[in-house]
Amino acid sequence: MKLNRYIDHTVLKPTTTLEDIKKLCMEAVEYDFAAVCIPPPFVKLAKTFVGSTSTKVATVTGFPFGYSAIEAKVAETVLAIVDGADEIDMVANILAIRNKDWQYVEKEIATIMPIIRNHQKVIKVIIESGILLEEEIVQCCQLYARYQVDFVKTSTGYAEKGATVAAVQLMRANLPANIQIKASGGIRTFAFAKELIDAGATRIGTSNGVALMKE
C-alpha cells in the first residue's frame, strides 16, 4: 500500500519554528505527501518550500477549539487564501454542536462555503469526533453533506481522544461517496493508519509521516 498520497504532514504546535516548517516541507516534497498542514502565519513560507510540486499547503482556521466567531473564521479563511493556501482545515463550532444549536452550525458553514468555492479551494471540516456522541457525529455528517464540503475530519489532535476506526466507519456510513474523510489525532503507526484507510479515510493527518513511511 502506498501511504504517501494519503498523508497531510502536520505541525501545528504553538512553538513551531521556521526551521520546523522548512524541515516539514522538505520531507513532504521528498516523500510526495498529499499536503503539509501548518499554522496560518507560515502559509506563504510553505508555498515557497513546496514550490510547483504536487504537495499542497493546508492551514487551519478556528483552531483548535472551534468557538471563534463566524466573522473571525471568515477573516482567517480569506487571509489563508490570500497567502496561498490550497486547503483549509476548519474547526467546527463544537460548543454549538454540543449545545444542539444546529442553526448556528449551519449558518457557519453556509457563510464559509461560498468563499471556498469562489476561490476553488478545498475545505476539511473538523468535528472533533472523539468528544461527540454518535448521534452528533451523524447529524454533523448529514449537515455538511448538504453543503458539499470536501472532507469531514475527525479531530484536531488537541482533544482527549483522536481518530478511531469506529468514528471513521460511522462517518463513512453517513456521508455520500463524494465527500471524503480525513482521520487525524494520535496516528503514530502504519498499522493504525491502514486500519483507518480501510475504514474509509482518504487522508491521514499526522506529525509522524516520515516514520510511517519507514515502517
Side-chain angles (χ1 to χ4, degrees):
M1 176 189 203
K2 286 197 170 183
L3 190 62
N4 60 314
R5 295 305 297 171
Y6 287 90
I7 290 178
D8 281 4
H9 201 30
T10 302
V11 61
L12 291 168
K13 299 178 296 183
T15 54
T16 300
T17 66
L18 295 175
E19 280 304 309
D20 292 334
I21 296 298
K22 182 177 181 180
K23 180 174 183 285
L24 187 89
C25 291
M26 294 301 97
E27 289 172 345
V29 169
E30 179 184 354
Y31 288 94
D32 192 26
F33 290 149
V36 292
C37 190
I38 55 169
F42 295 116
V43 169
K44 283 185 181 179
L45 183 66
K47 287 294 285 187
T48 67
F49 287 141
V50 303
S52 59
T53 68
S54 60
T55 298
K56 304 298 184 184
V57 173
T59 194
V60 289
T61 58
F63 195 85
F65 301 119
Y67 50 44
S68 48
I70 293 172
E71 294 84 354
K73 289 182 182 177
V74 166
E76 286 183 288
T77 301
V78 170
L79 181 59
I81 291 170
V82 168
D83 285 349
D86 302 297
E87 303 179 354
I88 307 294
D89 289 34
M90 183 193 82
V91 187
N93 192 307
I94 312 303
L95 288 180
I97 294 170
R98 291 314 315 270
N99 284 283
K100 304 192 187 310
D101 189 352
W102 295 105
Q103 185 175 357
Y104 184 95
V105 179
E106 183 160 8
K107 182 181 178 184
E108 179 177 80
I109 195 62
T111 304
I112 296 292
M113 282 306 294
I115 302 168
I116 297 293
R117 291 292 171 248
N118 287 344
H119 293 87
Q120 298 179 304
K121 302 300 181 182
V122 167
I123 186 166
K124 312 184 196 97
V125 181
I126 308 170
I127 63 171
E128 209 66 273
S129 59
I131 58 175
L132 298 183
L133 302 173
E134 282 194 9
E135 54 263 37
E136 291 168 338
I137 295 173
V138 170
Q139 196 150 350
C140 282
C141 289
Q142 292 170 345
L143 189 155
Y144 293 121
R146 292 201 299 274
Y147 284 88
Q148 290 294 297
V149 303
D150 298 291
F151 288 79
V152 180
K153 176 178 170 182
T154 60
S155 324
T156 60
Y158 278 79
E160 56 266 32
K161 188 176 181 182
T164 65
V165 170
V168 171
Q169 289 172 332
L170 182 64
M171 291 160 68
R172 186 68 279 158
N174 288 279
L175 287 168
N178 63 307
I179 295 180
Q180 300 181 69
I181 296 169
K182 177 176 173 179
S184 62
I187 305 171
R188 299 184 181 90
T189 67
F190 179 92
F192 186 36
K194 187 177 184 304
E195 279 188 83
L196 293 164
I197 291 166
D198 290 344
T202 49
R203 204 69 83 79
I204 298 293
T206 179
S207 59
N208 215 34
V210 172
L212 297 190
M213 294 300 296
K214 291 179 177 178
E215 282 191 35

